[in-house]
Amino acid sequence: MPILLALAGIAPLAACARPGETASLPSPGPVFDPAVFFVGTTQGNGMLTRRWHQPEAISVTGSGEMLVDGTLVLRQRVSRTGHPDRRRLWRLRPTGVPGEYRGHMSDATDLVTARVTGSRLTIAYPMRGGLNAVQQIDLAPDGQSAVNRMTVTLRGLRVATLDETIRRTGPAR
């Protein structure tokens, strides 16, 4: 989910807050419903900042659909300055507990977990190279855009961040 994440599609990333850093509370507003936000088309634009590298522009185009069994499928094309485009696939399904989802993503090495808390969707997953990613996606009051802040860590040390704005650009097909 760009996202769903709308992630930058970069294996050398993963996330958690720095030791001693506290997570901010989600902003007041509408409840984040991944099916409503990601079904249809989305466009994300942001900046990837990696330790010891210059910041890079990231663009993520997404196309989401809801399957009959309740699985959200999000296909993304990730464009990064100076690199070939990458494809990413998300599959998230409700667990039966309100606001909780589990699934898979092509950049993840194991299970993806997601939880909705008010207007925030938090997604966490492990990546290649021992990296861990956490995305906090805050829905805007109009429900048509969201801010994605991804943090990638290695052994608890923050190695990368992605700050991205995601916009709904088209209805469900």
Side-chain angles (χ1 to χ4, degrees), residues 13-17 123-125 127 131-135 150-153 160:
L13 304 181
C16 282
I123 304 169
Y125 50 92
M127 298 173 73
L131 299 168
N132 290 294
V134 173
Q135 292 180 248
M150 181 176 85
T151 305
V152 178
T153 59

Side-chain angles (χ1 to χ4, degrees), residues 40-153:
T41 57
T42 53
Q43 178 64 47
N45 292 293
M47 192 62 64
L48 172 68
T49 305
R50 296 182 299 155
R51 211 175 261 269
W52 302 295
H53 291 83
Q54 292 294 318
E56 297 177 69
I58 297 284
S59 175
V60 180
T61 302
S63 176
E65 66 178 311
M66 184 62 66
L67 302 182
V68 175
D69 70 357
T71 300
L72 172 63
V73 177
L74 179 63
R75 291 171 179 81
Q76 296 177 316
R77 185 186 79 233
V78 181
S79 302
R80 195 169 124 208
T81 307
H83 298 272
D85 287 359
R86 295 192 58 231
R87 301 276 180 193
R88 184 172 45 231
L89 177 67
W90 293 84
R91 296 178 73 81
L92 290 177
R93 186 171 184 182
T95 65
V97 175
E100 286 189 8
Y101 302 82
R102 286 199 169 62
H104 301 280
M105 193 261 284
S106 53
D107 289 345
T109 58
D110 204 348
L111 191 65
V112 172
T113 60
R115 174 182 286 273
V116 172
T117 306
S119 60
R120 175 175 286 168
L121 173 64
T122 302
I123 304 169
Y125 50 92
M127 298 173 73
R128 291 180 292 271
L131 299 168
N132 290 294
V134 173
Q135 292 180 248
Q136 291 185 328
I137 305 170
D138 291 302
L139 187 63
D142 68 2
Q144 297 302 301
S145 64
V147 173
N148 176 28
R149 169 99 174 150
M150 181 176 85
T151 305
V152 178
T153 59

Side-chain angles (χ1 to χ4, degrees), residues 30-33 36-38 139-146 166-168:
V31 173
F32 200 120
D33 183 340
V36 170
F37 189 78
F38 290 110
L139 187 63
D142 68 2
Q144 297 302 301
S145 64
I166 305 165
R167 289 182 176 74
R168 290 180 45 76

